[in-house]
Amino acid sequence: MNILLVSHHGVAGGLKKAVDMITGEQEELSIIELTEAGVQDFSSKLESYLEQWKRSNKKIMILADLKGGTPYNQAVALTHKLEMEQNAFVISGVNLPLVLETLFLDETDFMISDLNRVIESSRSAIFKADPLELNNNDLDE
Protein backbone atom coordinates (compact mmCIF):
# COMPACT_ATOMS: atom_id res chain seq x y z
CA MET A 1 0.00 0.00 0.00
CA ASN A 2 1.29 3.45 -0.81
CA ILE A 3 1.70 5.81 2.11
CA LEU A 4 2.20 9.54 2.40
CA LEU A 5 3.41 10.69 5.81
CA VAL A 6 2.44 14.30 6.60
CA SER A 7 3.70 15.93 9.76
CA HIS A 8 5.29 18.80 11.56
CA HIS A 9 9.00 19.16 10.80
CA GLY A 10 11.06 16.06 11.55
CA VAL A 11 8.38 13.55 12.47
CA ALA A 12 7.68 12.07 9.02
CA GLY A 13 11.35 12.09 8.08
CA GLY A 14 12.28 10.26 11.27
CA LEU A 15 9.60 7.63 10.73
CA LYS A 16 10.73 7.10 7.14
CA LYS A 17 14.34 6.63 8.25
CA ALA A 18 13.24 4.08 10.87
CA VAL A 19 11.09 2.16 8.35
CA ASP A 20 13.93 2.12 5.81
CA MET A 21 16.33 0.86 8.49
CA ILE A 22 13.98 -1.99 9.46
CA THR A 23 12.69 -3.02 6.03
CA GLY A 24 15.08 -1.53 3.50
CA GLU A 25 14.17 1.47 1.37
CA GLN A 26 10.45 1.64 0.64
CA GLU A 27 9.51 3.32 -2.64
CA GLU A 28 5.85 3.26 -1.57
CA LEU A 29 6.58 5.62 1.35
CA SER A 30 6.72 9.38 0.77
CA ILE A 31 6.84 12.34 3.14
CA ILE A 32 5.79 15.97 3.18
CA GLU A 33 6.61 18.01 6.28
CA LEU A 34 5.42 21.37 7.54
CA THR A 35 8.60 23.39 8.03
CA GLU A 36 9.55 26.97 8.78
CA ALA A 37 8.71 27.69 5.11
CA GLY A 38 5.11 27.85 6.30
CA VAL A 39 1.65 26.52 5.72
CA GLN A 40 1.33 27.84 2.16
CA ASP A 41 4.48 25.98 1.10
CA PHE A 42 3.29 22.77 2.78
CA SER A 43 -0.19 23.06 1.28
CA SER A 44 1.19 23.71 -2.19
CA LYS A 45 3.47 20.65 -2.03
CA LEU A 46 0.67 18.47 -0.70
CA GLU A 47 -1.84 19.61 -3.32
CA SER A 48 0.67 19.03 -6.12
CA TYR A 49 1.45 15.55 -4.79
CA LEU A 50 -2.23 14.64 -4.45
CA GLU A 51 -3.15 15.97 -7.91
CA GLN A 52 -0.44 13.78 -9.41
CA TRP A 53 -1.54 10.81 -7.30
CA LYS A 54 -5.19 11.26 -8.30
CA ARG A 55 -4.27 10.66 -11.94
CA SER A 56 -2.90 7.22 -11.01
CA ASN A 57 -6.33 6.17 -9.66
CA LYS A 58 -4.59 4.11 -6.95
CA LYS A 59 -5.36 4.00 -3.25
CA ILE A 60 -3.16 5.87 -0.79
CA MET A 61 -2.97 6.16 2.98
CA ILE A 62 -2.15 9.60 4.30
CA LEU A 63 -0.82 9.22 7.82
CA ALA A 64 -0.62 12.41 9.88
CA ASP A 65 1.11 13.07 13.16
CA LEU A 66 -1.61 14.98 15.00
CA LYS A 67 -5.38 15.20 14.59
CA GLY A 68 -6.31 18.86 14.27
CA GLY A 69 -2.77 19.87 13.34
CA THR A 70 -2.05 21.70 10.10
CA PRO A 71 -0.73 18.64 8.19
CA TYR A 72 -3.84 16.63 9.10
CA ASN A 73 -6.23 19.50 8.42
CA GLN A 74 -4.65 20.24 5.04
CA ALA A 75 -4.73 16.55 4.05
CA VAL A 76 -8.43 16.27 4.92
CA ALA A 77 -9.30 19.52 3.13
CA LEU A 78 -7.31 18.72 -0.01
CA THR A 79 -8.52 15.15 -0.39
CA HIS A 80 -12.05 16.54 -0.21
CA LYS A 81 -11.30 19.42 -2.61
CA LEU A 82 -9.78 17.00 -5.12
CA GLU A 83 -12.65 14.51 -4.64
CA MET A 84 -10.31 11.72 -3.58
CA GLU A 85 -12.33 10.30 -0.68
CA GLN A 86 -12.75 6.91 -2.40
CA ASN A 87 -9.00 6.35 -2.84
CA ALA A 88 -7.30 8.48 -0.18
CA PHE A 89 -7.65 7.73 3.52
CA VAL A 90 -6.38 10.22 6.12
CA ILE A 91 -5.43 8.79 9.52
CA SER A 92 -4.01 10.72 12.46
CA GLY A 93 -1.77 9.60 15.32
CA VAL A 94 0.85 7.93 13.17
CA ASN A 95 3.34 5.64 14.88
CA LEU A 96 5.94 3.20 13.59
CA PRO A 97 3.75 0.06 13.93
CA LEU A 98 0.99 1.78 11.93
CA VAL A 99 3.39 2.66 9.11
CA LEU A 100 4.91 -0.81 8.99
CA GLU A 101 1.57 -2.63 8.95
CA THR A 102 0.04 -0.26 6.42
CA LEU A 103 2.97 -0.74 4.02
CA PHE A 104 2.13 -4.39 3.69
CA LEU A 105 -1.60 -4.04 3.03
CA ASP A 106 -2.58 -5.34 -0.38
CA GLU A 107 -4.12 -2.50 -2.37
CA THR A 108 -5.93 -4.85 -4.74
CA ASP A 109 -7.89 -6.58 -1.96
CA PHE A 110 -8.11 -3.57 0.36
CA MET A 111 -11.23 -3.10 2.45
CA ILE A 112 -12.06 -0.59 5.19
CA SER A 113 -12.01 -3.49 7.68
CA ASP A 114 -8.28 -3.88 6.86
CA LEU A 115 -7.72 -0.26 7.77
CA ASN A 116 -9.65 -0.63 11.03
CA ARG A 117 -7.61 -3.73 11.92
CA VAL A 118 -4.32 -1.91 11.30
CA ILE A 119 -5.41 1.09 13.38
CA GLU A 120 -6.43 -1.17 16.27
CA SER A 121 -3.16 -3.07 16.02
CA SER A 122 -1.14 0.16 16.21
CA ARG A 123 -3.14 1.23 19.27
CA SER A 124 -2.34 -2.05 21.01
CA ALA A 125 1.38 -1.41 20.43
CA ILE A 126 1.20 1.42 23.00
CA PHE A 127 1.62 0.30 26.58
CA LYS A 128 3.47 1.07 29.80
CA ALA A 129 6.33 -1.30 30.48
CA ASP A 130 6.52 -3.10 33.81
CA PRO A 131 10.16 -3.21 34.98
CA LEU A 132 9.43 -6.39 36.92
CA GLU A 133 8.82 -8.19 33.60
CA LEU A 134 12.30 -7.37 32.35
CA ASN A 135 14.44 -10.42 31.75
CA ASN A 136 18.15 -9.93 31.20
CA ASN A 137 17.85 -12.10 28.11
CA ASP A 138 15.51 -9.48 26.58
CA LEU A 139 18.15 -6.75 26.48
CA ASP A 140 19.59 -5.83 23.10
CA GLU A 141 23.27 -5.11 23.07
Side-chain angles (χ1 to χ4, degrees):
M1 178 66 72
N2 288 282
I3 299 174
L4 173 62
L5 299 176
V6 295
S7 74
H8 295 85
H9 187 76
V11 176
L15 283 168
K16 179 163 179 24
K17 286 180 184 178
V19 168
D20 289 348
M21 184 184 86
I22 294 167
T23 66
E25 188 169 344
Q26 295 293 319
E27 293 181 15
E28 302 86 12
L29 182 60
S30 302
I31 67 167
I32 299 176
E33 294 182 323
L34 174 61
T35 66
E36 294 81 18
V39 174
Q40 186 60 40
D41 180 68
F42 173 84
S43 183
S44 176
K45 288 177 183 175
L46 181 57
E47 186 166 10
S48 175
Y49 182 93
L50 292 175
E51 284 173 342
Q52 182 178 354
W53 190 262
K54 183 178 179 179
R55 288 191 286 276
S56 76
N57 204 32
K58 293 182 180 179
K59 290 184 175 26
I60 187 168
M61 296 292 176
I62 304 170
L63 306 180
D65 58 348
L66 182 65
K67 182 179 179 185
T70 298
Y72 173 85
N73 291 343
Q74 289 294 308
V76 170
L78 288 170
T79 55
H80 178 71
K81 175 184 173 183
L82 297 172
E83 299 177 342
M84 296 179 67
E85 291 94 341
Q86 296 302 310
N87 287 332
F89 305 92
V90 182
I91 298 110
S92 65
V94 66
N95 61 22
L96 188 55
L98 179 61
V99 177
L100 290 169
E101 285 200 49
T102 303
L103 270 172
F104 298 106
L105 287 176
D106 183 0
E107 180 184 343
T108 58
D109 294 333
F110 175 77
M111 297 173 58
I112 293 298
S113 60
D114 296 323
L115 179 56
N116 292 333
R117 180 187 48 77
V118 168
I119 291 170
E120 190 54 43
S121 178
S122 73
R123 283 183 185 148
S124 68
I126 300 170
F127 66 94
K128 179 191 171 299
D130 182 352
L132 297 177
E133 294 178 14
L134 183 61
N135 179 334
N136 287 334
N137 296 330
D138 294 336
L139 297 176
D140 287 338
E141 293 186 32

